[in-house]
Amino acid sequence: MEMPLFVPTHSLDLDAPSVPSSFAILADSIPVMIWKTDQQGKRIFFNEAWLSFTGRSLQEECGDGWISDIHPDDVEQYLFTYRLALQHQQPFHAEYRLHHHSGAYRWVFVTGKPQYHSNQYTGYVGSTIDITDRKQTEERLESYKQRLEIAQYAGGIGTLEWNLNTNQIWCSEEQLHLFGLHPQLFSGKFEQIEQIILPSDHRLFIETINRDCATHKDCDIEYRILHKDTTLRWIKTQGKFFYTRRGEPLRFIGISYDITKQKQTEQMLRFKAESNRILSHSFRYKKTLRELAKTTVTSIADWCSIDMIHDDGSTDYVALAHADKHKVAIVNRFRKVRHHLFEQDSETAKDLRQGKTLFFPLVTEQFLQHHVADHSRLRFLQRLNLTSLLIVPIQIKGHTIGTISLATTDTHQRFDEQSVEITQQFASSVALAIENATLYEELSAQKERLQNVVANVSGVVWEGEGELGKEHTTFVSPFAKRMVGFELDEWYAHEGFWLRLVHPEDTTRVVGYIHSLFTKRTHGIFSYRWITKKGKIIWIQSYVSALRNEEGERIGIRFVNVDITGRMEIERRKDDFISMASHELKTPLTSIKVFNEVLLQLPELTKNKQTRTYLLHMDRQIDHLTTLVRELLDVTKIQAGKLQLNKSDFSLHNLAKETIDVLQTTTQHHHMRLVDHAHIHIYADRDRIGQVLTNLISNAIKYSPESEIIQISIEKDEKYVHISVKDKGIGIAPEHIDKIFDRFYRVFDATDQTFPGLGIGLYISLGIIKRHKGTIDVRSTYGKGSTFRVTLPL
Ligand code: ADP
């Protein structure tokens, strides 16, 4: 408080009861209100300043007149103080409201002092000053202070002032409330505050304060206290140090507030972010879980254990972390013997298996004794010093596969609803990660297996996306380098690289094949030639299939190419042999045929019935053999592209009729029907077309042992004539359809029906028809019959 202005009375020569003119003159000349009493305390003098303040005369004021100028509310208190002082001749001071000449009351501060002259009491001299302005400021300050206190209270902000010399601390009510200190029990000693700070935070707290004080920095410190309600609170204190002119620290003034919620939210968010990062990072889930457990103990818990529950209810922990390393050892030792926290058949363990979250915000001694029957387990848990416990099941498709156990221990932190929610979300993410990891592991194993297979296949596995012939390589197996010599990079670098390898003579056929393949089916097998980097020609067999997107659109091709050059060589030698053998057989066969005919004409031989039968039988066998050799020769000719045609104009109807007539003699069981809508002449090789018809009708007979009707139809349109042979026989399974026109291809039927043949009839027929620029196609239903259709251009 500001010191009032005292009138320097000692230097004056005051004598009672009269007021010397020297005093009056002096008093009148100063702006402070001055008054004087006689020995009885009666006012005998008021200076100019007083009179002009009250607006009254000296006569009106002297005696007791001045009393009526005092505010009615203040008069009693003031006169009491005044009279008491006078009675004991004591100095006094007081504040009261004095009537101003303007009509309003103004606050004044009065001081009075007894006066002595030669040790003789002479009366009082006093001064009165106008303090209205100060009073108003003070009032404003007071109301401001009150408002501030209300605001601080509402905002939970405490204020404190710490005297660094005395080490005394003054705390606002709210500050004490924050610290959980009782106002009556607070000694004001700094040590008392130090005691409530969590021991693990204490050092940093003191260090920070000392450093900030030494460096003249604003102080901003976060620390944990143990509140009297046994909860752990995060407190933030911000403030300033004040120093003497010489720089010695004088005091600290600061504000504090509770940031526990904010800290928990921050921790939770940090934990969430970190756990998500870890979860999305790795597919090795055991490692991931161990990392997660570590993250947990640095953020939201002091102890974390992630356990897997097996089908038989036994558990196995995969991750364990404790903020305190020594405790990990305790837990590890315990786990070796007891596995899970609760007995396997306890209600608690059952609840967990059923997917219930177990949440114990405050673990007390009674709690442990109630929940844990097993003695050593109980001792272990007691040693862990749990504060709060939270166990959340990890579930995959409604099945509990494990648990996440979180506990707080010495930090006294407690889990709340938010912790439960976050941990449950965490458990779902962990479940997902485990599921993904399991899938990923399976996938990786499969991929590895596949990669090994692909890498070890002695062939080129290739995949490419894009337009046919312009595909960019998306995969090519390493064997490609060995097979064709080109570096794998070259495959990847050029669009449609595979087509560059194809022998120019085969390009059109290959592209045409693939093109037509994908209009009908998804895959096929065909052979063609490649030219290697060194210019060598190799035969390859391609298994080709379409790559499709999710919509089923074809986006590329996959080839599995095998080098069949060796096989082709054997094939060629086989062809050579067949060609040579059939040529060699042809001449002696012709001679045998001629000799047999001669023998048949010798009456001395044929008159013996049995001899004649044998000779006729021999003749038929020679014909059969001749057909066989002729067919083999045809195969060789077709192979070499040397099939000669002897074209003439002839009636197709007549040819069909003749063929049917001949073949009808070979079977009694079947009935052949000719349906001719065309009745046309065509220009072609009559024998060869006849050969084709014979082959198709013979097959129809051969492969329809159970049915009678074989229908041969002839139709034509503007450009083509179509000859169809339809039977209701055994039919052809779809997987064979493409191959029956291949050389020596025969269907081996699972039904164990064996039919004689070499598998060259259709090959020759196709060869003949192709030479006529026609086509043969087949439609067949397995078990129901087949229709072979020859199309010839007109
Ligand atoms: P094959 O001498 O074996 O008859 P082909 O070249 O004439 O030789 O025929 C090849 C294969 O096609 C036969 O082995 C047979 O499985 C099948 N085939 C041909 N024609 C028919 C048909 N009409 N019905 C069922 N299968 C047939």
Side-chain angles (χ1 to χ4, degrees):
M1 188 178 287
E2 222 171 281
M3 293 304 287
L5 184 70
F6 279 97
V7 180
T9 49
H10 291 288
S11 58
L12 286 174
D13 186 17
L14 301 173
D15 52 340
S18 63
V19 179
S21 56
S22 56
F23 173 76
I25 291 162
L26 187 67
D28 281 342
S29 67
I30 53 173
V32 178
M33 292 181 269
I34 305 286
W35 47 265
K36 185 172 164 31
T37 70
D38 59 13
Q39 281 167 321
Q40 283 69 47
K42 207 165 181 194
R43 298 247 169 129
I44 51 167
F45 173 77
F46 291 95
N47 73 344
E48 268 305 311
W50 177 285
L51 297 176
S52 68
F53 184 93
T54 57
R56 303 220 280 167
S57 68
L58 189 63
Q59 284 73 26
E60 283 171 300
E61 294 291 67
C62 282
D64 284 338
W66 61 278
I67 294 172
S68 61
D69 289 332
I70 302 171
H71 191 284
D73 288 351
D74 299 340
V75 71
E76 200 180 319
Q77 171 72 34
Y78 176 55
L79 289 182
F80 174 76
T81 313
Y82 182 62
R83 283 178 186 147
L84 194 70
L86 259 57
Q87 206 177 338
H88 297 96
Q89 294 178 6
Q90 294 273 324
F92 76 94
H93 57 82
E95 282 178 13
Y96 68 98
R97 279 163 287 183
L98 184 63
H99 194 267
H100 190 251
H101 65 85
S102 65
Y105 282 94
R106 290 183 71 84
W107 277 99
V108 290
F109 179 80
V110 56
T111 48
K113 244 186 157 181
Q115 300 296 312
Y116 299 91
H117 183 72
S118 320
N119 286 338
Q120 271 289 298
Y121 169 64
T122 56
Y124 269 72
V125 168
S127 71
T128 304
I129 53 168
D130 188 342
I131 57 161
T132 312
D133 288 348
R134 199 197 81 199
K135 259 295 197 201
Q136 279 171 354
T137 313
E138 257 175 29
E139 263 166 25
R140 275 206 302 276
L141 213 65
E142 186 57 32
S143 80
Y144 170 73
K145 230 171 99 185
Q146 274 171 11
R147 282 209 299 272
L148 189 72
E149 257 171 31
I150 290 168
Q152 285 186 354
Y153 179 75
I157 299 170
T159 19
L160 57 89
E161 190 175 333
W162 177 19
N163 185 323
L164 296 163
N165 290 326
T166 61
N167 220 12
Q168 277 281 326
I169 282 200
W170 170 86
C171 292
S172 74
E173 211 174 303
E174 185 55 24
Q175 181 68 57
L176 292 172
H177 180 71
L178 283 177
F179 282 156
L181 295 171
H182 197 284
Q184 253 114 58
L185 301 178
F186 180 54
S187 63
K189 287 256 181 304
F190 179 68
E191 289 74 32
Q192 205 178 345
I193 290 169
E194 275 188 283
Q195 275 160 15
I196 58 164
I197 294 172
L198 206 71
S200 52
D201 288 4
H202 180 260
R203 220 180 89 190
L204 187 72
F205 177 83
I206 297 294
E207 274 173 13
T208 313
I209 290 180
N210 285 341
R211 192 196 56 221
D212 291 347
C213 177
T215 54
H216 290 228
K217 257 181 67 188
D218 285 353
C219 183
D220 187 344
I221 180 168
E222 292 174 2
Y223 50 96
R224 284 169 295 175
I225 59 148
L226 196 59
H227 199 266
K228 66 168 183 277
D229 66 4
T230 75
T231 61
L232 192 86
R233 306 269 178 97
W234 272 97
I235 304 289
K236 186 181 183 76
T237 298
Q238 291 170 309
K240 245 183 183 338
F241 287 96
F242 293 87
Y243 306 84
T244 61
R245 279 214 197 99
R246 277 183 290 155
E248 288 146 353
L250 211 56
R251 56 186 170 147
F252 170 83
I253 298 176
I255 55 159
S256 311
Y257 43 95
D258 187 329
I259 52 164
T260 313
K261 260 258 125 21
Q262 179 194 335
K263 272 281 174 191
Q264 280 170 351
T265 310
E266 259 173 36
Q267 274 178 345
M268 289 291 175
L269 288 176
R270 213 175 317 126
F271 167 67
K272 237 173 134 172
E274 182 60 11
S275 58
N276 281 343
R277 187 191 65 77
I278 297 171
L279 282 168
S280 60
H281 212 238
S282 154
F283 276 120
R284 288 169 49 206
Y285 85 92
K286 286 199 176 165
K287 185 177 160 248
T288 307
L289 294 187
R290 280 196 291 273
E291 249 184 86
L292 282 174
K294 263 190 220 150
T295 309
T296 315
V297 299
T298 55
S299 51
I300 59 167
D302 298 319
W303 178 66
C304 170
S305 144
I306 303 179
D307 305 79
M308 293 291 126
I309 302 181
H310 302 300
D311 288 340
D312 64 356
S314 64
T315 52
D316 197 5
Y317 74 94
V318 277
L320 181 77
H322 200 299
D324 178 353
K325 279 193 195 111
H326 304 293
K327 297 241 164 108
V328 176
I330 302 179
V331 181
N332 265 330
R333 265 202 306 281
F334 169 79
R335 285 309 178 93
K336 276 199 186 115
V337 193
R338 289 290 189 274
H339 305 298
H340 209 265
L341 282 183
F342 302 102
E343 287 87 0
Q344 198 174 310
D345 48 359
S346 68
E347 284 305 312
T348 327
K350 278 185 205 152
D351 281 350
L352 277 173
R353 283 201 294 275
Q354 276 164 15
K356 280 191 199 144
T357 291
L358 301 180
F359 172 38
F360 309 108
L362 187 63
V363 177
T364 56
E365 183 57 35
Q366 291 102 300
F367 166 90
L368 288 178
Q369 298 204 348
H370 175 79
H371 278 83
V372 186
D374 174 48
H375 192 67
S376 70
R377 204 177 244 114
L378 178 67
R379 259 217 330 268
F380 156 74
L381 287 171
Q382 282 166 337
R383 280 180 76 190
L384 272 185
N385 205 7
L386 301 177
T387 307
S388 217
L389 181 64
L390 173 60
I391 308 179
V392 179
I394 306 170
Q395 291 201 304
I396 292 181
K397 295 186 185 93
H399 179 71
T400 305
I401 59 146
T403 55
I404 297 175
S405 312
L406 298 183
T408 57
T409 56
D410 313 275
T411 55
H412 306 279
Q413 201 162 318
R414 284 193 207 169
F415 295 128
D416 57 8
E417 291 305 324
Q418 197 191 9
S419 330
V420 176
E421 205 186 304
I422 295 266
T423 314
Q424 280 170 341
Q425 285 172 10
F426 173 52
S428 313
S429 311
V430 166
L432 205 73
I434 294 176
E435 218 181 346
N436 282 347
T438 319
L439 279 178
Y440 180 79
E441 269 168 24
E442 263 172 42
L443 216 72
S444 302
Q446 262 179 28
K447 195 178 155 196
E448 205 181 304
R449 212 174 305 133
L450 211 72
Q451 268 171 352
N452 280 338
V453 170
V454 169
N456 291 306
V457 149
S458 54
V460 176
V461 180
W462 173 88
E463 274 181 6
E465 284 178 16
E467 207 182 304
L468 182 61
K470 288 185 188 154
E471 298 87 352
H472 62 267
T473 302
T474 50
F475 174 79
V476 59
S477 62
F479 194 76
K481 167 85 170 77
R482 264 171 71 187
M483 198 156 122
V484 281
F486 293 102
E487 293 296 333
L488 298 190
D489 289 350
E490 295 181 75
W491 289 77
Y492 288 107
H494 306 286
E495 282 187 348
F497 186 78
W498 70 273
L499 201 58
R500 295 188 184 189
L501 296 176
V502 178
H503 193 293
E505 285 173 18
D506 293 348
T507 311
T508 322
R509 179 168 66 89
V510 167
V511 174
Y513 176 83
I514 297 173
H515 213 84
S516 70
L517 178 79
F518 290 143
T519 55
K520 289 180 275 174
R521 272 172 296 121
T522 51
H523 61 269
I525 296 185
F526 65 113
S527 309
Y528 54 98
R529 288 164 297 173
W530 265 358
I531 301 176
T532 66
K533 192 170 185 177
K534 287 189 174 158
K536 195 179 144 204
I537 295 172
I538 58 168
W539 272 95
I540 60 149
Q541 187 174 60
S542 281
Y543 176 89
V544 54
S545 54
L547 289 184
R548 294 181 190 275
N549 63 12
E550 277 166 18
E551 281 76 45
E553 295 154 354
R554 198 178 71 78
I555 50 161
I557 333 179
R558 178 185 297 118
F559 280 116
V560 180
N561 301 319
V562 189
D563 185 345
I564 54 162
T565 315
R567 212 170 79 201
M568 287 304 264
E569 177 56 23
I570 295 168
E571 203 86 336
R572 194 188 55 75
R573 273 192 244 152
K574 193 172 78 193
D575 290 343
D576 287 352
F577 170 77
I578 291 168
S579 157
M580 203 175 64
S582 41
H583 264 107
E584 293 300 319
L585 282 170
K586 205 177 104 186
T587 328
L589 248 183
T590 320
S591 315
I592 295 170
K593 173 81 182 166
V594 174
F595 287 128
N596 199 46
E597 271 166 11
V598 172
L599 290 180
L600 266 169
Q601 272 149 35
L602 292 177
E604 49 281 39
L605 276 182
T606 50
K607 74 175 181 253
N608 180 320
K609 212 172 166 195
Q610 200 165 19
T611 314
R612 186 183 148 77
T613 313
Y614 286 151
L615 286 174
L616 280 174
H617 192 69
M618 207 156 87
D619 192 55
R620 273 204 304 279
Q621 290 304 324
I622 293 167
D623 281 350
H624 191 69
L625 210 62
T626 314
T627 314
L628 223 115
V629 170
R630 201 189 61 213
E631 280 186 349
L632 282 176
L633 276 171
D634 283 347
V635 169
T636 322
K637 282 182 199 155
I638 292 169
Q639 274 287 103
K642 287 181 186 153
L643 191 75
Q644 298 285 335
L645 292 185
N646 222 332
K647 286 191 179 175
S648 65
D649 198 56
F650 64 93
S651 154
L652 195 57
H653 185 87
N654 290 349
L655 175 68
K657 205 157 170 342
E658 274 168 35
T659 316
I660 289 169
D661 287 346
V662 173
L663 290 174
Q664 186 64 70
T665 61
T666 63
T667 170
Q668 272 116 47
H669 181 66
H670 296 89
H671 174 70
M672 275 161 254
R673 196 161 64 195
L674 174 66
V675 183
D676 185 0
H677 297 290
H679 288 280
I680 53 159
H681 278 239
I682 57 164
Y683 183 70
D685 187 325
R686 194 176 192 277
D687 289 347
R688 289 295 187 190
I689 300 295
Q691 191 183 345
V692 172
L693 273 178
T694 306
N695 180 252
L696 295 182
I697 297 169
S698 309
N699 279 351
I701 296 169
K702 188 158 71 174
Y703 297 110
S704 62
E706 312 273 308
S707 83
E708 293 171 12
I709 303 289
I710 293 167
Q711 180 168 299
I712 298 99
S713 2
I714 305 173
E715 284 160 305
K716 69 161 184 138
D717 54 31
E718 275 176 20
K719 290 184 180 164
Y720 302 98
V721 58
H722 308 282
I723 312 155
S724 312
V725 179
K726 181 176 173 186
D727 66 61
K728 294 200 166 155
I730 60 167
I732 304 156
E735 64 268 27
H736 298 298
I737 279 254
D738 253 3
K739 302 172 194 151
I740 55 171
F741 290 94
D742 291 351
R743 250 182 334 153
F744 307 119
Y745 191 86
R746 308 205 65 236
V747 176
F748 287 97
D749 197 7
T751 57
D752 230 355
Q753 297 193 54
T754 42
F755 299 95
L758 284 183
I760 53 175
L762 287 179
Y763 176 75
I764 296 169
S765 301
L766 183 65
I768 294 169
I769 297 303
K770 271 191 179 166
R771 283 287 285 142
H772 283 88
K773 298 201 163 53
T775 55
I776 307 186
D777 56 63
V778 56
R779 262 177 294 155
S780 182
T781 312
Y782 185 61
K784 294 239 164 94
S786 321
T787 304
F788 285 81
R789 190 176 72 152
V790 175
T791 299
L792 288 169
L794 285 173

